[in-house]
């Protein structure tokens, strides 16, 4: 409570005004996060659909043929798989 009093004094407002402002700010922040989460979900769904569309056009045999020509060399430093991966 002493921190709230100090903050209110710094802003020249009552503790009640400070608390109301902080609650309103927190609710606005929460609403923004929820809206952003919904937008991100929509983008993720579109991204998944795009990947499915591209995967449906894949030529697995051609991809494996390309990999057959890849050199058999050790991984670059920091690029190796971790144990258990």
């Amino acid at each position: 409570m002493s921190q709230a009093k100090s903050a209110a004094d710094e802003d020249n407002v009552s503790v009640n005004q400070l608390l109301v402002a902080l609650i309103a700010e927190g609710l606005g922040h929460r609403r923004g996060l929820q809206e952003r989460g919904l937008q991100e979900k929509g983008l993720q769904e579109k991204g998944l659909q795009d990947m499915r569309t591209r995967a449906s056009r894949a030529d697995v045999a051609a991809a494996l043929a390309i990999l057959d020509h890849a050199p058999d060399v050790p991984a670059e430093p920091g690029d190796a798989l971790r144990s258990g991966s």
Side-chain angles (χ1 to χ4, degrees), residues 31-44:
R31 187 177 313 115
L33 289 175
Q34 288 174 333
E35 289 171 1
R36 194 169 116 208
L38 291 174
Q39 290 172 352
E40 287 175 358
K41 183 178 180 185
L43 291 174
Q44 288 172 351

Side-chain angles (χ1 to χ4, degrees), residues 42-79:
L43 291 174
Q44 288 172 351
E45 288 172 5
K46 181 176 179 345
L48 287 173
Q49 184 58 43
D50 290 347
M51 288 193 313
R52 287 184 187 111
T53 300
R54 291 181 70 185
S56 71
R57 298 189 308 251
D59 184 342
V60 175
L64 291 174
I66 291 169
L67 290 175
D68 284 340
H69 296 296
D72 188 16
V73 296
E76 304 257 336
D79 232 8

Side-chain angles (χ1 to χ4, degrees), residues 1 4-5 8 13-26:
M1 191 64 167
K5 288 179 183 176
V13 296
S14 70
V15 172
N16 189 47
Q17 288 172 313
L18 176 73
L19 295 176
V20 168
L22 290 173
I23 290 169
E25 182 180 325

